[in-house]
Amino acid sequence: RHEAVARRAEIAQVFGLIDNDSSGSIDFGEMLQAALRAGFDPSQAEELRSNFEARGGEIGIDEFTELLAEREDLNACMEGLLAEGRKKRERQERIRNPIKVSASQNRRAGRSTNTRPSLADMRLDQQRSELLEAKRKQPLPSP
């Protein structure tokens, strides 16, 4: 059941990526453009056109789901489109919230995401400052 819900969400996500004009339906041109970006074999374009014409030229999400069930080559393209969608969302997230993305990048790199120094770090900084100040106050040795 969880897998079916996740699959339906993926299909809806890909459908949204393909539906360039946000009309709630996909025409052959939108589908072909997206499929070609994701590695679809151009020699299969006429067969895909026939699939669309058999459904009235445009398809909604339910017909898109049916088409994916019928065509294994489109399922492979869907994975490519999902990856493209993830990259697009990450770029948008970096633009909207660069600090948050930087923190997640730090976590992936194994670095701390805490931007405030810890109390121990502040104490070490204070001790270093005091040592440097004490050294500056010491007279220089005579030659």
Side-chain angles (χ1 to χ4, degrees):
R1 171 143 167 78
H2 177 67
E3 288 178 16
V5 171
R7 176 70 175 167
R8 184 80 176 157
E10 285 180 344
I11 290 171
Q13 182 180 355
V14 170
F15 185 87
L17 290 170
I18 297 171
D19 184 14
N20 292 329
D21 59 3
S22 301
S23 64
S25 63
I26 297 172
D27 63 27
F28 171 72
E30 289 173 314
M31 183 67 205
L32 183 62
Q33 181 182 20
L36 289 172
R37 267 193 338 259
F40 182 72
D41 181 2
S43 69
Q44 299 296 312
E46 281 307 311
E47 185 179 339
L48 183 60
R49 182 188 304 274
S50 296
N51 294 138
F52 270 78
E53 288 173 358
R55 291 173 167 86
E58 288 190 345
I59 61 173
I61 192 159
D62 292 332
E63 294 163 311
F64 179 66
T65 303
E66 291 171 7
L67 188 61
L68 289 175
E70 294 170 11
R71 299 198 50 142
E72 189 61 38
D73 55 347
L74 290 180
N75 273 307
C77 290
M78 193 176 100
E79 294 304 318
L81 290 171
L82 281 171
E84 180 182 303
R86 281 189 291 273
K87 289 177 186 174
K88 183 178 180 179
R89 279 192 312 282
E90 287 173 3
R91 281 191 306 271
Q92 289 170 342
E93 183 63 25
R94 277 195 303 268
I95 291 167
R96 275 189 301 234
N97 194 351
I99 294 171
K100 184 176 181 181
V101 173
S102 294
S104 67
Q105 289 169 340
N106 282 336
R107 277 193 297 280
R108 282 193 296 257
R111 296 185 297 256
S112 171
T113 59
N114 188 357
T115 57
R116 293 177 42 195
S118 69
L119 187 56
D121 289 339
M122 291 180 355
R123 285 185 184 143
L124 281 172
D125 288 343
Q126 181 64 33
Q127 289 172 348
R128 286 185 193 120
S129 295
E130 290 170 0
L131 283 172
L132 288 172
E133 186 64 30
K135 282 186 176 183
R136 260 186 275 167
K137 289 181 180 180
Q138 288 179 350
L140 291 174
S142 318

